[in-house]
Amino acid sequence: MIRAGYRQVRHVLKRGKSSCSDASMRVLGIESSCDDTAAAVVTGDGRILSETNRHQYSVHEAHGGIVPGLAADQHLRNIPEVVRDTLAHANLTIHDIDAIAVTRGPGMPGGLTVGLAAAKTLACVHNKPLIGVHHMEAHALMARMTHTVNFPFVCLLASGGHTLTVAVHGVNEHTLIGSTRDDSVGEAFDKVARELNIPWINAQHGGGPGAALEALALEGDAARFAMPVPMDKTDSARSPDFSFSGLKTHVRRLREAAGFNIQDRQDRADVAAAFQTTAVRHLAKKTALAIVRARDILGTQPQTLVVSGGVACNQAVRAGLEALAMQHKMALVCPPPQLCTDNGVMIAWAGIERLRCGLLDPYSIDFIQRWPLDQLKHMRDRSE
């Protein structure tokens, strides 16, 4: 079965190589790794022909976070219409698509299974090349569709599930520099929003608990409830790793402290502002260490700092990292906010980048729940 799958890959690779340099090449991308069922059609020159995204905010808000089983059920309900609508809005049929890209991991097994089943079936039945995409590589490469970004570059990937810095050598080749030791920054934003009883924002783009905290923080005084920057002690200050669990605990203790009233909007705004300011300082300090290490890893001074993932939508995060990039004489590049959160466009574009390198997959691929980004190249080496 596996050998037959790889024979099919070699067959479609020949066809894919002949068309992948064509700017009009069209790739369908499917994303279902968390709580967004998304699809998009993107061309080889970066034009978005259509995109569809079904959010699940109303399903999960009452639970205070994403419930994997409920998310998988929603993906099962949504994915047929999401793919259908995406093709219809582009005035295309599946026969007009040159390849199908799909999130293979990391992510929630239920959601990944739904997306993979849909993509593999479509690709196999219609004899289309299949590209399994690493969710975080897709975030990292998104900036290359919206801006002129040459390899190598340094990337901070900050989302609800991940916080890491990587040296990006090229497609499929990344060196991990720092990662979170506990919670991701996005998870911390979400949990602090829950601690402060902040209602979620239900919006097509830029919604959820983290966005709600950012909005409330605009009304707050960050100095009133100043918080210690994580990993700022002597033994951990030089590590490029991140840690956000301490900040989350600090906010929980504030709820019980004298001088704080959870019912008072100004108190909640002040804590939100203090948390956000401290989180941004922590991100900037650890990313600064990553930039220095990247010089040694890459053997050159990187010219670009790419920041992507859902937390890159946050304007305070962008401002803090803009100042950092200027200090290091680097350009800061962030995709547009609607392309920082999970979406089908980034999966389609990553598929195009991988297709150009001849990186196709057999129809037998399975999901990978936990998938370190720096293992991508080694997996490919073992399969060849």
Side-chain angles (χ1 to χ4, degrees):
M1 182 72 70
I2 294 177
R3 289 181 180 178
Y6 278 99
R7 283 197 297 272
Q8 178 68 14
V9 166
R10 287 194 293 269
H11 170 72
V12 295
L13 182 57
K14 292 178 182 178
R15 188 181 68 193
K17 281 186 173 179
S18 67
S19 63
C20 66
S21 60
D22 186 352
S24 63
M25 175 182 62
R26 293 168 292 214
V27 171
L28 171 66
I30 297 174
E31 155 63 19
S32 61
S33 64
C34 189
D35 62 327
D36 289 317
T37 313
V41 178
V42 176
T43 64
D45 59 357
R47 289 177 292 123
I48 303 171
L49 300 186
S50 67
E51 62 173 316
T52 308
N53 197 333
R54 298 279 179 88
H55 299 298
Q56 301 179 16
Y57 298 138
S58 60
V59 175
H60 300 286
E61 182 178 9
H63 302 277
I66 307 304
V67 181
L70 292 178
D73 289 344
Q74 291 299 307
H75 287 308
L76 277 171
R77 291 169 179 262
N78 293 336
I79 204 158
E81 292 183 356
V82 165
V83 173
R84 181 199 64 190
D85 292 351
T86 300
L87 291 172
H89 294 158
N91 293 316
L92 300 172
T93 71
I94 194 65
H95 302 290
D96 302 311
I97 297 299
D98 295 298
I100 298 174
V102 60
T103 305
R104 186 180 181 187
M108 298 179 181
L112 292 171
T113 299
V114 172
L116 271 169
K120 293 197 299 181
T121 301
L122 284 170
C124 186
V125 169
H126 297 283
N127 195 32
K128 304 291 183 181
L130 178 70
I131 306 109
V133 171
H134 191 294
H135 183 85
M136 300 313 292
E137 181 177 54
H139 275 305
L141 296 178
M142 188 71 263
R144 283 173 46 84
M145 191 191 91
T146 59
H147 298 74
T148 300
V149 178
N150 296 319
F151 296 120
F153 59 87
V154 180
C155 186
L156 167 65
L157 296 169
S159 69
H162 303 84
T163 305
L164 60 155
T165 47
V166 292
V168 182
H169 304 263
V171 176
N172 205 57
E173 186 173 359
H174 313 268
T175 299
L176 179 65
I177 301 174
S179 62
T180 183
R181 296 183 176 183
D182 38 65
D183 295 340
S184 70
V185 61
E187 182 181 7
F189 265 82
D190 293 352
K191 289 183 176 179
V192 168
R194 182 171 60 189
E195 289 287 344
L196 297 177
N197 295 341
I198 304 173
W200 291 22
I201 292 176
N202 191 350
Q204 180 61 25
H205 297 296
L213 185 146
E214 178 186 5
L216 184 61
L218 292 173
E219 305 173 20
D221 175 9
R224 184 177 166 213
F225 294 104
M227 300 181 186
V229 177
M231 296 184 67
D232 214 26
K233 306 285 183 164
T234 304
D235 60 339
S236 58
R238 295 182 181 179
S239 169
D241 287 343
F242 303 89
S243 173
F244 293 95
S245 63
L247 272 180
K248 180 185 65 180
T249 302
H250 192 89
V251 171
R252 185 179 298 121
R253 288 173 178 168
L254 274 176
R255 286 190 50 148
E256 305 168 0
F260 176 78
N261 180 3
I262 192 66
Q263 304 301 323
D264 187 281
R265 182 178 179 85
Q266 190 59 55
D267 281 6
R268 289 186 289 136
D270 291 345
V271 172
F275 164 78
Q276 179 173 262
T277 297
T278 308
V280 171
R281 287 176 181 164
H282 181 49
L283 284 171
K285 282 191 173 186
K286 296 306 184 179
T287 303
L289 293 173
I291 291 171
V292 173
R293 294 202 181 189
R295 292 173 188 161
D296 296 331
I297 293 168
L298 299 171
T300 186
Q301 168 62 42
Q303 300 300 306
T304 307
L305 171 63
V306 170
V307 181
S308 193
V311 178
C313 295
N314 183 295
Q315 294 304 308
V317 169
R318 289 191 180 215
L321 294 169
E322 177 71 51
L324 173 66
M326 290 179 63
Q327 291 173 12
H328 289 269
K329 297 181 171 57
M330 300 171 70
L332 176 72
V333 175
C334 302
Q338 68 270 22
L339 296 180
C340 285
T341 54
D342 293 352
N343 60 86
V345 174
M346 72 181 198
I347 304 304
W349 178 254
I352 289 169
E353 293 260 38
R354 295 182 69 79
L355 183 58
R356 284 179 174 142
C357 298
L359 298 172
L360 300 183
D361 291 291
Y363 300 144
S364 58
I365 60 170
D366 201 353
F367 72 85
I368 304 176
Q369 181 180 4
R370 295 179 178 83
W371 192 4
L373 185 54
D374 54 354
Q375 288 185 6
L376 261 178
K377 182 176 186 299
H378 304 299
M379 288 180 61
R380 179 61 56 175
D381 289 344
R382 287 195 298 269
S383 67
E384 291 175 345

